[in-house]
Amino acid sequence: MSGALQYREAVARAEAAKQSLISSAQAARARVTPARLKQDATTKVVDVAMDGMAYAAATARQRPAMVGAAGAAILLFLVRRPLAALFGRLYVGHTDTNPDHSETENG
């Protein structure tokens, strides 16, 4: 093999490697654009949420009493203040033996 032929083959390999590097760099640049990163993050969050909902649904089908008790506990926690106010008013109305008198001295 002559030196000129080896040189041409080396140049061809170098050009092929250069084109491969350029295409890899363009692909990497496309992957790190803000729109692509946002799309990837959104897709990941949706996938995780869907997996979580599927797991919760399967658990609810397996243990309906436990899910009902947990739901009731959460509901009672969320409405604890309105319930306390309601029971407080009912208690005061029930224990007030003389409704004609007000709670203040001046009437």
Side-chain angles (χ1 to χ4, degrees):
M1 217 187 242
S2 70
L5 185 57
Q6 288 177 346
Y7 174 74
R8 283 191 212 125
E9 288 177 359
V11 168
R13 283 193 307 269
E15 280 296 319
K18 179 180 173 184
Q19 290 303 322
S20 175
L21 177 66
I22 289 172
S23 66
S24 295
Q26 288 173 345
R29 187 180 318 159
R31 281 195 306 260
V32 295
T33 60
R36 176 70 184 262
L37 292 174
K38 179 181 174 185
Q39 179 186 7
D40 289 346
T42 303
T43 303
K44 179 91 170 166
V45 167
V46 167
D47 288 345
V48 168
M50 295 301 278
D51 289 344
M53 289 187 338
Y55 176 75
T59 302
R61 280 192 295 275
Q62 290 175 354
R63 299 179 184 99
M66 182 183 74
V67 172
I74 291 171
L75 180 66
L76 285 174
F77 177 75
L78 292 175
V79 297
R80 69 189 183 278
R81 289 188 183 184
L83 286 176
L86 173 68
F87 288 128
R89 283 193 304 268
L90 290 175
Y91 178 74
V92 168
H94 178 68
T95 58
D96 190 9
T97 57
N98 193 356
D100 294 335
H101 290 85
S102 68
E103 294 179 5
T104 60
E105 291 180 9
N106 349 357

